[in-house]
Amino acid sequence: MMRVRTTLPDYLAAVAELPVSTSPTAESAGSLVVLPGRRGWTDAVARAAADGAAVVVVDEPAWASVADLDALLRVDVPVVLSRRRLRVDVADDARRTERPTLVVGSCAAAPRVLAEVVRDVVGWIRTLGDAPVSIVSARGAEHGGIALLDVGGTPATLAVTALDPTARSRTRVTALGVERSDVETTPDGTTVTVSSESGARLLPARFEDAPRLALRRALAAGGAHPDDVALFRADVVVADALVGGQGRLPAS
């Protein structure tokens, strides 16, 4: 049984739902430590590791610099990132059996969260394109912009729109090939639709709560380091070049 240290209500509920494998604790040493993903979360992970945490879960990680993520990659503790706009189980469901010929992405969000939404839509482009993402060119304006990307040799585009400060964020990524895959994300969740000559099918929704999924992934790590931070860093590198953590693309 793994002891879990957390003060987040959703994770306390998840611990209660996993009574055979987890139990609550107030100690960090030797425990699974859950941290909120507010700014400065990378430093909080380092402190948890110094306190002897066995594994760390970060819930909904906020923006982090590439330098901070590089430092985090050197920390000797497994780190699981719970990204609700880019859930690992939904991403696994959406992965294609063949490389697409084109990937088209778009996102819209309030300026205060736009950089993080861009980061996660870049992650979806990476997932559906099954390759690292790099920037070919980008052009920005006051309320958004557009970028031409490369996904392992596959062309991709990303349109970014800054909305009213109170607006709900939304993203859409479409991968075109023998089949068409559409991934749409809102604060209510993510839907994946796959279309072919036989018609369109909506992939089954994942009903497991994100905190419970994150705990199960941390338990399954068994001391091994998941690639969550490395993939997060890759997405940040592209998003940082596009919006610089400031919620807008550089003006052309």
Side-chain angles (χ1 to χ4, degrees), residues 34-56:
V34 180
L35 300 171
R38 55 178 174 257
R39 297 275 178 138
W41 62 268
T42 55
D43 290 337
V45 172
R47 289 193 296 270
D51 289 339
V55 58
V56 177

mmCIF file of all heavy atoms in Angstrom, residues 34-56:
data_model
loop_
_atom_site.group_PDB
_atom_site.id
_atom_site.type_symbol
_atom_site.label_atom_id
_atom_site.label_comp_id
_atom_site.label_asym_id
_atom_site.label_seq_id
_atom_site.Cartn_x
_atom_site.Cartn_y
_atom_site.Cartn_z
ATOM 1 N N VAL A 34 1.063 14.623 -3.720
ATOM 2 C CA VAL A 34 0.278 15.317 -4.750
ATOM 3 C C VAL A 34 0.404 16.820 -4.533
ATOM 4 O O VAL A 34 0.180 17.316 -3.427
ATOM 5 C CB VAL A 34 -1.203 14.913 -4.700
ATOM 6 C CG1 VAL A 34 -1.989 15.648 -5.786
ATOM 7 C CG2 VAL A 34 -1.348 13.402 -4.861
ATOM 8 N N LEU A 35 0.750 17.542 -5.600
ATOM 9 C CA LEU A 35 0.950 18.982 -5.517
ATOM 10 C C LEU A 35 0.032 19.704 -6.494
ATOM 11 O O LEU A 35 -0.202 19.218 -7.604
ATOM 12 C CB LEU A 35 2.400 19.334 -5.858
ATOM 13 C CG LEU A 35 3.483 18.728 -4.969
ATOM 14 C CD1 LEU A 35 4.847 18.986 -5.568
ATOM 15 C CD2 LEU A 35 3.379 19.305 -3.560
ATOM 16 N N PRO A 36 -0.475 20.869 -6.098
ATOM 17 C CA PRO A 36 -1.232 21.677 -7.057
ATOM 18 C C PRO A 36 -0.287 22.266 -8.101
ATOM 19 O O PRO A 36 0.880 22.553 -7.806
ATOM 20 C CB PRO A 36 -1.848 22.774 -6.184
ATOM 21 C CG PRO A 36 -0.924 22.890 -5.019
ATOM 22 C CD PRO A 36 -0.386 21.507 -4.775
ATOM 23 N N GLY A 37 -0.779 22.445 -9.313
ATOM 24 C CA GLY A 37 0.093 22.890 -10.394
ATOM 25 C C GLY A 37 0.181 24.389 -10.564
ATOM 26 O O GLY A 37 0.399 24.862 -11.682
ATOM 27 N N ARG A 38 0.043 25.142 -9.494
ATOM 28 C CA ARG A 38 0.159 26.596 -9.614
ATOM 29 C C ARG A 38 1.595 26.978 -9.927
ATOM 30 O O ARG A 38 2.510 26.163 -9.828
ATOM 31 C CB ARG A 38 -0.322 27.270 -8.339
ATOM 32 C CG ARG A 38 0.354 26.796 -7.062
ATOM 33 C CD ARG A 38 -0.151 27.551 -5.852
ATOM 34 N NE ARG A 38 0.374 27.007 -4.609
ATOM 35 C CZ ARG A 38 -0.324 26.239 -3.789
ATOM 36 N NH1 ARG A 38 -1.578 25.929 -4.072
ATOM 37 N NH2 ARG A 38 0.222 25.785 -2.670
ATOM 38 N N ARG A 39 1.751 28.257 -10.317
ATOM 39 C CA ARG A 39 3.089 28.735 -10.685
ATOM 40 C C ARG A 39 4.092 28.425 -9.582
ATOM 41 O O ARG A 39 3.809 28.597 -8.405
ATOM 42 C CB ARG A 39 3.051 30.242 -10.937
ATOM 43 C CG ARG A 39 2.167 30.662 -12.118
ATOM 44 C CD ARG A 39 2.894 30.581 -13.436
ATOM 45 N NE ARG A 39 2.036 30.925 -14.561
ATOM 46 C CZ ARG A 39 2.407 31.675 -15.586
ATOM 47 N NH1 ARG A 39 3.624 32.164 -15.621
ATOM 48 N NH2 ARG A 39 1.593 31.905 -16.585
ATOM 49 N N GLY A 40 5.267 27.959 -9.986
ATOM 50 C CA GLY A 40 6.279 27.553 -9.030
ATOM 51 C C GLY A 40 6.218 26.081 -8.675
ATOM 52 O O GLY A 40 6.933 25.621 -7.768
ATOM 53 N N TRP A 41 5.398 25.316 -9.404
ATOM 54 C CA TRP A 41 5.227 23.899 -9.064
ATOM 55 C C TRP A 41 6.507 23.095 -9.244
ATOM 56 O O TRP A 41 6.716 22.099 -8.548
ATOM 57 C CB TRP A 41 4.086 23.284 -9.873
ATOM 58 C CG TRP A 41 4.276 23.277 -11.362
ATOM 59 C CD1 TRP A 41 3.864 24.222 -12.249
ATOM 60 C CD2 TRP A 41 4.914 22.253 -12.154
ATOM 61 N NE1 TRP A 41 4.203 23.873 -13.532
ATOM 62 C CE2 TRP A 41 4.845 22.664 -13.500
ATOM 63 C CE3 TRP A 41 5.530 21.041 -11.850
ATOM 64 C CZ2 TRP A 41 5.373 21.911 -14.552
ATOM 65 C CZ3 TRP A 41 6.063 20.272 -12.891
ATOM 66 C CH2 TRP A 41 5.971 20.711 -14.223
ATOM 67 N N THR A 42 7.376 23.523 -10.151
ATOM 68 C CA THR A 42 8.626 22.760 -10.331
ATOM 69 C C THR A 42 9.488 22.830 -9.072
ATOM 70 O O THR A 42 10.130 21.842 -8.693
ATOM 71 C CB THR A 42 9.404 23.289 -11.549
ATOM 72 O OG1 THR A 42 9.623 24.702 -11.403
ATOM 73 C CG2 THR A 42 8.622 23.041 -12.832
ATOM 74 N N ASP A 43 9.510 23.998 -8.429
ATOM 75 C CA ASP A 43 10.259 24.117 -7.174
ATOM 76 C C ASP A 43 9.614 23.261 -6.082
ATOM 77 O O ASP A 43 10.316 22.659 -5.253
ATOM 78 C CB ASP A 43 10.302 25.574 -6.718
ATOM 79 C CG ASP A 43 11.170 26.445 -7.617
ATOM 80 O OD1 ASP A 43 12.059 25.891 -8.286
ATOM 81 O OD2 ASP A 43 10.941 27.670 -7.652
ATOM 82 N N ALA A 44 8.289 23.205 -6.080
ATOM 83 C CA ALA A 44 7.592 22.388 -5.084
ATOM 84 C C ALA A 44 7.925 20.909 -5.268
ATOM 85 O O ALA A 44 8.070 20.162 -4.286
ATOM 86 C CB ALA A 44 6.084 22.613 -5.183
ATOM 87 N N VAL A 45 8.066 20.465 -6.517
ATOM 88 C CA VAL A 45 8.459 19.070 -6.773
ATOM 89 C C VAL A 45 9.860 18.817 -6.226
ATOM 90 O O VAL A 45 10.117 17.784 -5.584
ATOM 91 C CB VAL A 45 8.401 18.754 -8.284
ATOM 92 C CG1 VAL A 45 9.004 17.367 -8.552
ATOM 93 C CG2 VAL A 45 6.973 18.802 -8.792
ATOM 94 N N ALA A 46 10.769 19.751 -6.463
ATOM 95 C CA ALA A 46 12.145 19.592 -5.962
ATOM 96 C C ALA A 46 12.166 19.503 -4.442
ATOM 97 O O ALA A 46 12.919 18.703 -3.861
ATOM 98 C CB ALA A 46 13.014 20.743 -6.460
ATOM 99 N N ARG A 47 11.332 20.325 -3.788
ATOM 100 C CA ARG A 47 11.280 20.269 -2.316
ATOM 101 C C ARG A 47 10.715 18.936 -1.844
ATOM 102 O O ARG A 47 11.195 18.359 -0.859
ATOM 103 C CB ARG A 47 10.435 21.434 -1.785
ATOM 104 C CG ARG A 47 11.095 22.798 -1.935
ATOM 105 C CD ARG A 47 10.372 23.851 -1.111
ATOM 106 N NE ARG A 47 9.003 24.065 -1.585
ATOM 107 C CZ ARG A 47 8.659 24.957 -2.506
ATOM 108 N NH1 ARG A 47 9.597 25.705 -3.083
ATOM 109 N NH2 ARG A 47 7.398 25.120 -2.848
ATOM 110 N N ALA A 48 9.682 18.438 -2.535
ATOM 111 C CA ALA A 48 9.104 17.144 -2.159
ATOM 112 C C ALA A 48 10.136 16.030 -2.315
ATOM 113 O O ALA A 48 10.231 15.117 -1.487
ATOM 114 C CB ALA A 48 7.862 16.856 -2.992
ATOM 115 N N ALA A 49 10.909 16.096 -3.385
ATOM 116 C CA ALA A 49 11.955 15.089 -3.600
ATOM 117 C C ALA A 49 12.993 15.167 -2.488
ATOM 118 O O ALA A 49 13.466 14.142 -1.973
ATOM 119 C CB ALA A 49 12.609 15.295 -4.966
ATOM 120 N N ALA A 50 13.364 16.389 -2.091
ATOM 121 C CA ALA A 50 14.339 16.557 -1.011
ATOM 122 C C ALA A 50 13.805 16.038 0.314
ATOM 123 O O ALA A 50 14.573 15.579 1.171
ATOM 124 C CB ALA A 50 14.715 18.030 -0.876
ATOM 125 N N ASP A 51 12.474 16.064 0.464
ATOM 126 C CA ASP A 51 11.845 15.551 1.684
ATOM 127 C C ASP A 51 11.657 14.031 1.650
ATOM 128 O O ASP A 51 11.104 13.461 2.595
ATOM 129 C CB ASP A 51 10.487 16.220 1.897
ATOM 130 C CG ASP A 51 10.612 17.681 2.294
ATOM 131 O OD1 ASP A 51 11.688 18.063 2.784
ATOM 132 O OD2 ASP A 51 9.636 18.433 2.113
ATOM 133 N N GLY A 52 12.074 13.403 0.551
ATOM 134 C CA GLY A 52 12.038 11.943 0.484
ATOM 135 C C GLY A 52 10.823 11.347 -0.192
ATOM 136 O O GLY A 52 10.551 10.154 -0.029
ATOM 137 N N ALA A 53 10.070 12.137 -0.955
ATOM 138 C CA ALA A 53 8.899 11.598 -1.655
ATOM 139 C C ALA A 53 9.307 10.454 -2.576
ATOM 140 O O ALA A 53 10.359 10.498 -3.235
ATOM 141 C CB ALA A 53 8.209 12.693 -2.464
ATOM 142 N N ALA A 54 8.467 9.428 -2.642
ATOM 143 C CA ALA A 54 8.741 8.289 -3.519
ATOM 144 C C ALA A 54 8.319 8.573 -4.947
ATOM 145 O O ALA A 54 8.926 8.083 -5.907
ATOM 146 C CB ALA A 54 8.024 7.049 -2.997
ATOM 147 N N VAL A 55 7.262 9.346 -5.114
ATOM 148 C CA VAL A 55 6.739 9.720 -6.421
ATOM 149 C C VAL A 55 5.896 10.969 -6.215
ATOM 150 O O VAL A 55 5.316 11.171 -5.145
ATOM 151 C CB VAL A 55 5.914 8.570 -7.060
ATOM 152 C CG1 VAL A 55 4.764 8.162 -6.157
ATOM 153 C CG2 VAL A 55 5.406 8.935 -8.449
ATOM 154 N N VAL A 56 5.847 11.828 -7.228
ATOM 155 C CA VAL A 56 5.105 13.085 -7.121
ATOM 156 C C VAL A 56 4.096 13.179 -8.257
ATOM 157 O O VAL A 56 4.420 12.874 -9.413
ATOM 158 C CB VAL A 56 6.048 14.302 -7.161
ATOM 159 C CG1 VAL A 56 5.239 15.606 -7.134
ATOM 160 C CG2 VAL A 56 7.023 14.264 -5.996
#
